[in-house]
Every structure is written in structure tokens, then in C-alpha cells.
């Protein structure tokens, strides 16, 4: 299996051209992943097939952002039934206790969580897909065998982690084939990861719970971890009901707790619905709009994490998602500074797909940490440092981590009009701003992804997660000055960073016109992605 013959878009930063089509659409953060999904759609596969093929390909072409040892969660909507389902395959705490867990553990085996990537992949494939493992893994295996060119984003992360990469025999054969770190434009191959994917293709869970589990647990324990093979055996992907809200007549369907970014997104939109943003103007022109966006985001984002899903804690979630509660929170914005909590690390990717029949998938997957953070590897893949989310709130033995992912679908009159999501520590801020751009101000998708935005404050394991916002330098200088003066009076940390920064997330979205059946997308300039029509 190879990729289709027509040229694949280059993996470059900066503005990309929008793409339109009526037979299906996909957008991801790497052109080879986008092409893998597009080819599946053109062969008659559905949105789930395409998204899973893209996700598997990203294991190879974006190893700095995701791993087989991390998590995968997806939101799926069936056009024929209107049913929307969430599959939570996020990381969990080990069965063994982790006493005195601190930020220092994030670079060691103690910070390695129980993975859910492969169980969720298999659950989604069986539940929604039409293609077998061989077809869905074929593009990933081809990319691992044949190789692909290092792009500047991968190189930048690898350069910062080259000491750990170069110390590992498994990674030296990938990144140090010529004796030095692979540079942009150089082709890298991953024969060990290809063998792992072939065994998953041929043996499925038998290999995953056998040889892979033994290698994974041994690698984690080699540096102080407590994981065992039993952790992988008892793990199950969770199939959940998504959370729902509304915003100015549109319905928002999003990830449910413990992936609580969906609740954060709807809560922030509920607060913003109480004011007339359109009269104020977009955040790129109005300091007042930008300030309100930051306040609504921070109030929702820095709130205590949600650990229980809709079934377990319905009454509390109904209050949090209510319009009345939003009005109260909005009235208190000026007097209630956001609380502080420990922080996870960035390092995630997102996929949005719609197929010709109208099924949609919004999928986020990740190793849940900075790239190659712990220097641990097994079977050709890095070990996730997703224990960073144990700093946010420590789960009980075997429990899911509370993670702020926010895959979402926006509907009008029961029909999808936007399918979106974002990676990074700023993903809720990213999705919030872009949805406001699209729904309140009628921006095109290309205008929205190119507009400057704010994000959540970066962190270190030592400092944890402190309230504050980064602001891209693309905003007008006078507007930035006014907003930062306000933030100073409110004792809110802010900092201006580079334009189009990966720290503010990457909006992978498809905008749909139900009347014409046309889908439109545009890859975000902050990473090296691509959108393609089927």
C-alpha cells in the first residue's frame, strides 16, 4: 500500500489555501495523514474509517505529538440516525498507587499512564467503521517503511529533545541514521514501529496485551514506574453520551467529562451569549470583545476539573451547563479571579472528517505531554508522559485522567454546520475564539484560522498551572496595550508571543453548508497541516 499518486501538499508552516468540496472533507495537522484519510474516503470508506487511518498515520509522521502509548478520543455523528456518540480512550492511572506524585515524575517512568489509544481505535473501528485493520493501518506502515521528510515542526521538537532521543537505541535508528540528528528535508524511517503496526494488524489485542504490554510495562518500570501488564488487560474504552448546549440558536455537541473541555467550551459560550458581541466587533478590532473572551475562557478553563460523566453526575452538570448559572458567572467576572491548579503539558493533534453521506468525526489523540519528555521508548514508540494530567487532579487507581479535550460538532436545525477541535494546552481558548469568529462575526474558515488569538499560560512541571494568557503579536499594538493594561489592573498574567504560535493551538475545522452540501476547510498556519476534499 502506498499513498495515491497525485502530489501531496508540502508540510509547511504559514497560510494555506482553503479547500471546498461536496463528496467529503478532511483536515489534519500533517499532509500525509490528510492524504491517508482522503484516499480512504475516495475508496468508499466512511468518516470513521478515514479518521482512524489518519490517526494511525500520525503515529508515524507526528511522533512528537502522539503515541500508541497515549490516548485517543472521538466524537462520531451518524447522518442516517442523527445519533452522536463519544468514545473515550484517554489515559488512566495505574492500579498501583503513586504516593507523593509531583512534577518531577513527569520526566520519569512514574509519569507514564495506562494507555487507551489502541483499545479506543479498535472500539471505534468495530462500532462505526467499515474497513478492516489492514486497510486502516496500511498508510501508517507505508510511511514507517518508506519514510517521510522531517519538517521544521518535528525538527524543532526533536532538536530540544535530542539528548534523550540519542540515548535510546530505538530512536538512534530513526533520528540519528547519519550519526547526527535528522534535519529538515531528510527522510527518516521507522522499521521498529512498522513491525509493531504489522503485529497489531495481524494479531490485534493478542499482541497488544501480550508482547507489547510486557515491553511497555518493563520500559516504564525501568525508570521508577509502577505499571504492569494487568493495567492494560483491565483497561476498556468508554462509550459515552456527549454533552450538549446551545449558542445563539446553534446546538453545540461536545466531549463529556472526564474529557471536560466540552463542558468548559459550552460554559464559556453560555456566558458570552449574555452580551451582544456583534455590536462590539470581533476580537481583532475590539479590546472589549477580546477581554470578554479571555474572561469567559479563564472562568471556565481554570475551574475545578470534572471527574464524573453525565450518567454519574447529571445534576451537577445540568447546573454547570445552564443559562441561569452562566448569567451568574458573567455578573461575577469582574470580582472572581480564576483559581489556580496544577497543569498538564501540550502535545496533541486533532482530526476532523466529514464523508459524502454526511457522517462526521471529530477526533483528538495525543501522548499528553511535551515531545519525548521522558526518554523512554518501547516497540518503536515513545512512552507517554500523560501523568502530567495527574497533576490536574489525581485519579483513583485505574480511573481515567480528567483531560480538557474538546472535540465538538455544531448543528443548526439538526444539521451539522461545523465539526472542529484543537490540540495544545490552549485548545479550549482556540475552539472558543474560532467558533465566535464563525458564528458571531461570519468569518470564513480561512479568515478565522489566520486571525490572531490568545491562549492559556504555558507552564513548567515545577510551577504548575497558573492563571494567565498569552497573546499573539498579530493583534493591533494599541489593542494589545489596552488589554494588557486591563489585565495588569486585574492582576492577570499576560505575555505577548510570536504571531501564529503553536502554543495557541491549531484549529482543525470543517464548515458545512446543509443547503448546498458543500464543505469548506483551511488548515491552520500554526502547524504544517493540510485540508483535502474527497
Amino acid at each position: 500500500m502506498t499513498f495515491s499518486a497525485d502530489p501531496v501538499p508540502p508540510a509547511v508552516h504559514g497560510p494555506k489555501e482553503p479547500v471546498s468540496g461536496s463528496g467529503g472533507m478532511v483536515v489534519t495537522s500533517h499532509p500525509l495523514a490528510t492524504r491517508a484519510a482522503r484516499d480512504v474516503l475516495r475508496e468508499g470508506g466512511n468518516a470513521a474509517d478515514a479518521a482512524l487511518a489518519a490517526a494511525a498515520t500520525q503515529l508515524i509522521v507526528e511522533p512528537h505529538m502522539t503515541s500508541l502509548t497515549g490516548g485517543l478520543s472521538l466524537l462520531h455523528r451518524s447522518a442516517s440516525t442523527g445519533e452522536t456518540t463519544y468514545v473515550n480512550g484517554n489515559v488512566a492511572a495505574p492500579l498501583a498507587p503513586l504516593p507523593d506524585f509531583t512534577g518531577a515524575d513527569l520526566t520519569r517512568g512514574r509519569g507514564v499512564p495506562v494507555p487507551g489509544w489502541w483499545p479506543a481505535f479498535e472500539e471505534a473501528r468495530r462500532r462505526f467503521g467499515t474497513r478492516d485493520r489492514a486497510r486502516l493501518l496500511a498508510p501508517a506502515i507505508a510511511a514507517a517503511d518508506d519514510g517521510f521528510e522531517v519538517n521544521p515542526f518535528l525538527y524543532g521538537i526533536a532538536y530540544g529533545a535530542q539528548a534523550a532521543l540519542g540515548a535510546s537505541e530505538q530512536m538512534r535508528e530513526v533520528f540519528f541514521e547519519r550519526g547526527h540528528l535528522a534535519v529538515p528535508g531528510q527522510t527518516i524511517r521507522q522499521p521498529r514501529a512498522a513491525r509493531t503496526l504489522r503485529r497489531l494488524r495481524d494479531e490485534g489485542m493478542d499482541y497488544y496485551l501480550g508482547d507489547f504490554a510486557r515491553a511497555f510495562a518493563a520500559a516504564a518500570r525501568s525508570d521508577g514506574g509502577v505499571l504492569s501488564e494487568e493495567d492494560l488487560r483491565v483497561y476498556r474504552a468508554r462509550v459515552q453520551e456527549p454533552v450538549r448546549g446551545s449558542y445563539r440558536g446553534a446546538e453545540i455537541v461536545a466531549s463529556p467529562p472526564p474529557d471536560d473541555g466540552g463542558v468548559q467550551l459550552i460554559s464559556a459560550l453560555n456566558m458570552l451569549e449574555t452580551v451582544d458581541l456583534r455590536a462590539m466587533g470581533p476580537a481583532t478590532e475590539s479590546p472589549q470583545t477580546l477581554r470578554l473572551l479571555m474572561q469567559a475562557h479563564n472562568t471556565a478553563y481554570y475551574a475545578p476539573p470534572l471527574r464524573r460523566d453525565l450518567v454519574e453526575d447529571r445534576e451537577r452538570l445540568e447546573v454547570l451547563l445552564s443559562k441561569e448559572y452562566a448569567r451568574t458567572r458573567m455578573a461575577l467576572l469582574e470580582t472572581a479571579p480564576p483559581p489556580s491548579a496544577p497543569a498538564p503539558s501540550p502535545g496533541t493533534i486533532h482530526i476532523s472528517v466529514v464523508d459524502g453521506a454526511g457522517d462526521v468525526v471529530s477526533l483528538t489523540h495525543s501522548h499528553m505531554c511535551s515531545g519525548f519528555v521522558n526518554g523512554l521508548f518501547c516497540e518503536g514508540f515513545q512512552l507517554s508522559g500523560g501523568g502530567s494530567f495527574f497533576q490536574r487532579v489525581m485519579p483513583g487507581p485505574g480511573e481515567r485522567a480528567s483531560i480538557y479535550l474538546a472535540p465538538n460538532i455544531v448543528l443548526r436545525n439538526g444539521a451539522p454546520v461545523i465539526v472542529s477541535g484543537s490540540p495544545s494546552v490552549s485548545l479550549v481558548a482556540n475552539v472558543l475564539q474560532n467558533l465566535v469568529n464563525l458564528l458571531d462575526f461570519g468569518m470564513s474558515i480561512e479568515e478565522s484560522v489566520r486571525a490572531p488569538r490568545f491562549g492559556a499560560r504555558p507552564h513548567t512541571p515545577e510551577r504548575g498551572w497558573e492563571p494567565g494568557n498569552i497573546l499573539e503579536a498579530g493583534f493591533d499594538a494599541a489593542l494589545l496595550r489596552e488589554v494588557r493594561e486591563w489585565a495588569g489592573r486585574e492582576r492577570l498574567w499576560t505575555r505577548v508571543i510570536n504571531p501564529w504560535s503553536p502554543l495557541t493551538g491549531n484549529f482543525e475545522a470543517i464548515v458545512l453548508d446543509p443547503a448546498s452540501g458543500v464543505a469548506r476547510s483551511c488548515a491552520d498556519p500554526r502547524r504544517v497541516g493540510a485540508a483535502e476534499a474527497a
Side-chain angles (χ1 to χ4, degrees):
M1 168 69 195
T2 57
F3 294 94
S4 53
D6 49 318
V8 177
V12 294
H13 288 93
K16 287 87 172 174
E17 291 300 314
V19 179
S20 297
S22 56
M25 181 72 67
V26 57
V27 58
T28 83
S29 50
H30 196 285
L32 286 176
T34 298
R35 177 55 55 86
R38 191 209 70 173
D39 287 351
V40 167
L41 290 177
R42 288 191 175 182
E43 293 170 15
N46 64 20
D49 297 321
L52 293 172
T57 304
Q58 287 174 314
L59 291 176
I60 300 300
V61 299
E62 297 187 81
H64 53 312
M65 290 289 113
T66 191
S67 176
L68 186 61
T69 66
L72 180 154
S73 292
L74 66 92
L75 186 65
H76 176 275
R77 183 181 188 276
S78 166
S80 61
T81 66
E83 182 178 0
T84 307
T85 307
Y86 192 69
V87 177
N88 180 321
N90 254 322
V91 298
L95 296 170
L98 286 168
D100 304 317
F101 190 89
T102 70
D105 292 314
L106 303 185
T107 58
R108 301 195 58 213
R110 273 171 60 88
V112 178
V114 182
W117 200 102
W118 182 251
F121 180 95
E122 283 288 79
E123 178 67 33
R125 182 183 66 82
R126 289 191 298 266
R127 186 173 287 268
F128 308 122
T130 65
R131 298 301 188 261
D132 60 17
R133 285 197 301 262
R135 177 62 189 90
L136 300 184
L137 295 179
I141 294 171
D145 281 336
D146 301 338
F148 66 96
E149 288 189 357
V150 174
N151 61 70
F153 188 27
L154 173 55
Y155 176 74
I157 301 297
Y159 183 87
Q162 62 180 307
L165 289 171
S168 164
E169 178 184 357
Q170 295 194 26
M171 291 299 102
R172 284 198 301 273
E173 68 186 21
V174 175
F175 288 98
F176 290 81
E177 185 182 19
R178 301 178 186 175
H180 60 78
L181 181 67
V183 298
Q186 181 178 335
T187 297
I188 60 172
R189 295 172 178 82
Q190 299 172 67
R192 200 180 299 257
R195 288 195 294 272
T196 295
L197 293 176
R198 284 193 177 91
R199 292 198 64 182
L200 288 170
R201 176 194 67 191
D202 298 338
E203 303 170 50
M205 277 294 180
D206 290 341
Y207 165 65
Y208 182 76
L209 298 178
D211 289 347
F212 181 85
R214 284 187 284 274
F216 171 75
R221 291 197 304 268
S222 73
D223 192 34
V226 300
L227 283 158
S228 71
E229 298 162 45
E230 182 66 13
D231 285 303
L232 275 70
R233 282 195 287 268
V234 302
Y235 183 99
R236 297 290 185 274
R238 296 177 65 180
V239 180
Q240 299 178 266
E241 177 187 350
V243 293
R244 297 175 184 272
S246 64
Y247 183 69
R248 307 198 197 281
E251 182 182 9
I252 314 296
V253 184
S255 56
D259 285 359
D260 61 354
V263 173
Q264 295 174 10
L265 176 63
I266 293 171
S267 297
L269 288 170
N270 280 345
M271 285 184 272
L272 293 171
E273 193 178 41
T274 67
V275 297
D276 187 358
L277 290 182
R278 292 173 186 164
M280 300 175 193
T284 52
E285 301 171 7
S286 166
Q288 186 178 9
T289 297
L290 179 56
R291 175 176 61 82
L292 286 170
L293 282 165
M294 292 168 62
Q295 288 179 293
H297 166 266
N298 291 353
T299 300
Y301 183 73
Y302 292 108
L306 298 171
R307 300 178 62 176
R308 297 182 177 88
D309 64 22
L310 276 168
V311 174
E312 298 169 309
D313 202 4
R314 181 173 292 276
E315 289 185 4
R316 183 176 181 224
L317 282 169
E318 285 177 352
V319 171
L320 289 172
L321 295 174
S322 70
K323 302 292 188 182
E324 181 179 357
Y325 184 62
R327 285 190 288 272
T328 300
R329 297 173 93 182
M330 196 68 180
L332 294 173
L333 280 181
E334 296 294 342
T335 58
S340 179
S345 302
T348 304
I349 40 188
H350 185 83
I351 300 160
S352 290
V353 183
V354 59
D355 63 28
D359 289 0
V360 297
V361 170
S362 178
L363 185 158
T364 307
H365 63 121
S366 177
H367 52 49
M368 306 293 174
C369 62
S370 300
F372 316 115
V373 68
N374 52 34
L376 298 172
F377 305 89
C378 80
E379 304 289 82
F381 292 93
Q382 68 166 305
L383 266 62
S384 165
S388 53
F389 282 90
F390 300 168
Q391 285 189 286
R392 191 171 182 233
V393 58
M394 177 59 75
E399 287 185 352
R400 286 290 197 281
S402 294
I403 298 177
Y404 50 75
L405 302 187
N408 67 92
I409 302 168
V410 180
L411 302 99
R412 283 196 185 278
N413 301 316
V417 293
I418 302 170
V419 50
S420 83
S422 171
S424 98
V425 73
S426 299
L427 70 90
V428 176
N430 178 309
V431 175
L432 177 67
Q433 291 169 90
N434 279 282
L435 290 187
V436 166
N437 287 343
L438 297 170
L439 296 173
D440 282 296
F441 299 108
M443 290 188 188
S444 66
I445 184 63
E446 59 269 29
E447 289 172 332
S448 188
V449 297
R450 295 170 187 170
R453 61 179 72 128
F454 71 86
R457 181 178 185 171
H459 80 288
T460 65
E462 296 77 20
R463 192 183 72 225
W465 197 5
E466 297 176 358
N469 300 104
I470 52 176
L471 293 140
E472 290 182 337
F475 286 102
D476 176 77
L479 183 151
L480 276 179
R481 185 166 53 251
E482 182 174 337
V483 169
R484 295 196 74 200
E485 287 174 355
W486 158 78
R489 292 191 299 271
E490 295 293 318
R491 298 183 181 181
L492 175 65
W493 181 95
T494 59
R495 177 170 295 169
V496 177
I497 59 169
N498 59 292
W500 287 342
S501 172
L503 291 175
T504 66
N506 204 67
F507 192 57
E508 263 90 35
I510 300 169
V511 177
L512 304 162
D513 180 0
S516 66
V518 172
R520 187 173 179 87
S521 185
C522 184
D524 198 305
R526 292 160 184 80
R527 293 195 186 185
V528 300
E532 289 201 79

